[in-house]
Amino acid sequence: MIEVRNLTKHYGDKHAVNNISFTVEDGEILGFLGPNGAGKSTTMNMLTGYISSTSGQALINGVDILEDPIKAKSYIGYLPELPPLYVDMTVKSYLNYVYDLKKCKLPRRAHLNEVMALTKVSDVADRLIKNLSKGYRQRVGLAQALIGNPPVLILDEPTVGMDPRQIQEILSLIKKLGKNHSVILSSHILSEIQATCDRIIIINKGVVAAHDTTDNLSKNISTDHRVIARIEGPREEIIKAIRNIEGIKYVRADMEREAGVYEYEIEAAPDQDIRRDLFDIVTEHHWYLLGLRSAELTLEDVFLKITMGEGIIVPSAEDKKGAKA
Amino acid sequence: MGAIYRREVGAFFTSSIAYIFLCVFWLISGFFFVQSCLYYATTDMSGMFQSLFLVIVILIPLLTMRLFSEEKKQKTEQGLLTAPVSLGGIVMGKYFAALTLYTIGLLMTFVYAMILSAYGVVEWGIVFANFLALFLMGGAFIAVGLLISALTENQIAAAVASFVVLMLLFMLDNIAALIPVQWISTALGYLSFRNRYYAITYGLFNVSTVLFYVSVAAIFNYLTVRVFERRRWS
């Protein structure tokens, strides 16, 4: 379990991280999102005791990382942005070293073999780390974090440099580990976070810009009812006809997708379902409806919306409840 | 600390620094042995031990240069500092790894003494005292080199800076002699590494010398720990 209370880090008068609070329960995976330089790695470095916080508190399994660093660190498996690998060691001797470094008590051979099998590095166990590809190095880094079976895992962009199949494997491994560990996972790749994490924190400019479950986050921002329709037919007439539907707020033709086929972005009044009306109009004029989809915001859109420009702060479901009460 | 110690000793050999250090140390000490003992057909080894002072000033930076600078450069430092080990444990692990290799090098002086014992009577007490002096002084110098290695991420910079600092310590008496202010000159004289060392090579051994070298090693290792603590809090 990880508890973070008002964690702050200043470098001089620059606020790298400002007043961040969150909790990760056992058996939960928290996604950490944010553009480069937003403070993700700084936060993780504070949680793992690599750097100290200016103020605030980070508790790992109830132990303050600054008060009893050695005990707190023993609960953490950490994969930093750049895995801390000694490149002139073999994978096996490196993992043995980490085993000793962490003063691990589990049966050595069985445990190391288990970790290597989980992270799929058994077949390179006797190779020098400097001869491994980026994807393999990343997996050795993950193996290193798993040694000693720590209850808390902090993984800073664990899938960097992997091919799509390896990413799938590692994410499903993390998901499996998330059932009985507290996991913090940071990534730039939103689909990864969406597929793996229970909750998401978006950090922007050192503050928490959004904090919610994956589903709520996209719902929260996309309040308006919008669809995107792909229709074959004369553009001006179509726009005019759609405008005549009751409750339409906005319609716009997008680029030409095929010859004579445009995509139309249509926004109706909230809570109004215009899909049937749209269908009627199209058939009435003998146009063809080639595609229709809801323009609900993806996590990608949410991310961009939050982190672009000045950045907005999305209240979480809990905050809203609190406000109502 | 044990894990770090074992890894560092291994790394000395995989990075071939161990071989270079041992070869050069044995080569140069062998030369002085031939020159000052065999050539003059004497079992008095003090001449050789005196020459070794300068040799270790030159060679110790080779041992300490990459101990911390390389960790920083390869970003492995983060793994070390987030592992459940104390900063003191990290510093001591590295310190003793370098000290071990240094001691392996020094053991060669006993081989020289044994060669001499085949031809005449060796004063073993003096040989042991000299060995101990060289060991203690090297121990102090390694701590100095380790601190400098923690301050940079460039091995060569660490080596050159350590060499300069050790050289200054070596020349402390010459510097002291040049300073006209009496009390500064006296104070620097008290800190002399060379006088204490040469005293032992002549057979004068006392506890304060041991304490001097051991406390220099302790102070510099403590400063290294402080460097990491400060970096964490900056």
Side-chain angles (χ1 to χ4, degrees):
Chain A
M1 172 151 173
I2 308 164
E3 288 166 270
V4 174
R5 296 183 196 138
N6 308 98
L7 209 57
T8 301
K9 180 75 184 176
H10 297 181
Y11 289 110
D13 44 354
K14 186 181 171 285
H15 289 37
V17 170
N18 206 355
N19 221 7
I20 283 184
S21 302
F22 60 87
T23 321
V24 189
E25 302 286 341
D26 293 337
E28 190 182 32
I29 306 179
L30 177 75
F32 243 44
L33 273 175
N36 282 322
K40 283 177 303 189
S41 291
T42 308
T43 307
M44 291 183 159
N45 282 338
M46 281 191 281
L47 291 183
T48 53
Y50 180 54
I51 54 174
S52 67
S53 50
T54 310
S55 64
Q57 212 181 13
L59 301 175
I60 310 293
N61 265 4
V63 180
D64 189 315
I65 186 77
L66 292 179
E67 263 166 32
D68 192 350
I70 295 183
K71 192 168 180 200
K73 284 172 185 174
S74 72
Y75 294 135
I76 304 176
Y78 181 34
L79 171 62
E81 209 171 352
L82 293 157
L85 306 175
Y86 293 100
V87 293
D88 47 12
M89 293 175 98
T90 64
V91 172
K92 206 185 223 163
S93 58
Y94 171 67
L95 293 178
N96 263 300
Y97 157 72
V98 175
Y99 179 96
D100 290 333
L101 190 65
K102 291 189 178 180
K103 300 179 186 80
C104 185
K105 294 286 188 302
L106 301 159
R108 183 187 290 262
R109 277 221 8 223
H111 181 57
L112 289 182
N113 285 338
E114 187 197 343
V115 167
M116 287 197 286
L118 272 178
T119 51
K120 301 217 162 61
V121 293
S122 310
D123 48 332
V124 294
D126 294 314
R127 282 179 50 188
L128 286 178
I129 293 175
K130 66 176 155 207
N131 296 333
L132 297 181
S133 66
K134 181 85 178 83
Y136 265 110
R137 286 184 188 203
Q138 203 69 31
R139 285 198 267 175
V140 176
L142 184 61
Q144 163 275 129
L146 294 182
I147 283 180
N149 200 13
V152 171
L153 292 175
I154 296 180
L155 311 172
D156 201 349
E157 300 184 19
T159 57
V160 166
M162 293 187 181
D163 64 39
R165 194 177 54 89
Q166 291 174 330
I167 290 178
Q168 278 306 314
E169 287 169 3
I170 289 300
L171 288 181
S172 66
L173 170 62
I174 292 171
K175 203 151 186 181
K176 209 160 74 188
L177 291 167
K179 291 205 174 97
N180 43 23
H181 294 72
S182 312
V183 183
I184 294 182
L185 171 70
S186 91
S187 177
H188 290 297
I189 304 166
L190 304 166
S191 59
E192 267 181 16
I193 294 268
Q194 201 157 18
T196 321
C197 302
D198 308 309
R199 272 190 306 133
I200 295 179
I201 284 185
I202 298 182
I203 295 186
N204 192 31
K205 294 177 179 152
V207 295
V208 174
H211 178 185
D212 217 325
T213 61
T214 320
D215 298 338
N216 282 344
L217 210 50
S218 24
K219 269 185 208 147
N220 252 330
I221 291 201
S222 65
T223 45
D224 38 26
H225 192 80
R226 299 186 305 160
V227 294
I228 290 171
R230 188 178 284 203
I231 304 169
E232 184 176 352
R235 192 167 62 157
E236 297 309 319
E237 278 181 51
I238 292 175
I239 289 181
K240 226 159 93 188
I242 295 175
R243 280 225 176 92
N244 288 336
I245 303 177
E246 214 184 288
I248 291 288
K249 277 163 65 183
Y250 171 80
V251 60
R252 185 176 69 91
D254 216 346
M255 57 190 282
E256 194 169 16
R257 298 284 166 164
E258 300 160 42
V261 180
Y262 286 85
E263 259 188 5
Y264 298 86
E265 207 184 312
I266 306 161
E267 191 182 325
D271 309 321
Q272 188 188 353
D273 193 348
I274 54 161
R275 290 174 301 177
R276 291 173 187 79
D277 296 331
L278 198 62
F279 182 80
D280 283 342
I281 288 179
V282 170
T283 46
E284 197 178 294
H285 293 81
H286 295 286
W287 299 326
Y288 298 102
L289 185 61
L290 301 181
L292 182 64
R293 64 189 164 90
S294 149
E296 189 182 325
L297 289 179
T298 62
L299 193 54
E300 217 105 347
D301 302 320
V302 176
F303 178 74
L304 287 173
K305 216 164 173 173
I306 289 173
T307 55
M308 293 277 270
E310 284 305 294
I312 53 170
I313 307 243
V314 184
S316 73
E318 285 160 35
D319 291 342
K320 279 183 188 166
K321 258 184 248 157
K324 270 177 204 163
Chain B
M1 177 186 138
I4 295 164
Y5 171 79
R6 282 192 294 280
R7 202 204 75 79
E8 284 304 334
V9 172
F12 272 129
F13 285 93
T14 49
S15 67
S16 72
I17 282 183
Y19 303 108
I20 296 172
F21 172 79
L22 292 176
C23 277
V24 176
F25 185 77
W26 289 343
L27 193 75
I28 299 178
S29 62
F31 169 77
F32 286 124
F33 171 64
V34 171
Q35 189 210 30
S36 68
C37 299
L38 295 186
Y39 190 77
Y40 290 105
T42 170
T43 57
D44 175 16
M45 291 174 80
S46 59
M48 184 199 80
F49 276 110
Q50 281 186 19
S51 315
L52 286 182
F53 189 111
L54 191 58
V55 175
I56 69 164
V57 164
I58 296 166
L59 286 181
I60 277 184
L62 191 69
L63 285 183
T64 56
M65 62 180 187
R66 48 157 273 294
L67 285 174
F68 278 116
S69 60
E70 195 65 3
E71 297 270 357
K72 211 195 246 176
K73 193 167 190 182
Q74 304 288 344
K75 312 287 175 202
T76 47
E77 188 189 71
Q78 207 167 0
L80 215 48
L81 296 178
T82 55
V85 230
S86 65
L87 286 173
I90 296 171
V91 172
M92 290 325 269
K94 298 210 173 237
Y95 174 77
F96 282 117
L99 193 62
T100 302
L101 200 71
Y102 174 69
T103 310
I104 295 173
L106 286 194
L107 286 174
M108 193 53 122
T109 55
F110 283 114
V111 176
Y112 299 147
M114 271 183 253
I115 293 172
L116 289 181
S117 71
Y119 300 103
V121 181
V122 173
E123 291 278 358
W124 284 102
I126 293 184
V127 174
F128 274 110
N130 273 305
F131 176 84
L132 192 65
L134 212 49
F135 173 80
L136 289 170
M137 202 178 55
F141 283 179
I142 288 170
V144 174
L146 196 59
L147 171 67
I148 293 169
S149 176
L151 296 173
T152 168
E153 56 182 88
N154 185 326
Q155 288 189 35
I156 307 298
V160 172
S162 306
F163 173 68
V164 170
V165 172
L166 295 185
M167 207 61 200
L168 283 176
L169 291 176
F170 176 72
M171 297 192 308
L172 211 55
D173 306 271
N174 308 46
I175 298 167
L178 289 178
I179 294 175
V181 187
Q182 184 59 41
W183 66 269
I184 298 181
S185 158
T186 317
L188 285 180
Y190 281 129
L191 293 174
S192 168
F193 280 66
R194 203 165 55 185
N195 284 348
R196 287 189 168 78
Y197 179 72
Y198 285 167
I200 297 178
T201 62
Y202 293 135
L204 302 168
F205 191 84
N206 62 41
V207 179
S208 75
T209 309
V210 177
L211 277 178
F212 173 78
Y213 289 130
V214 172
S215 26
V216 169
I219 288 168
F220 277 93
N221 280 332
Y222 173 73
L223 288 177
T224 310
V225 171
R226 294 295 306 163
V227 165
F228 283 100
E229 236 155 48
R230 251 197 74 165
R231 193 177 301 155
R232 195 155 67 104
W233 288 92
S234 70

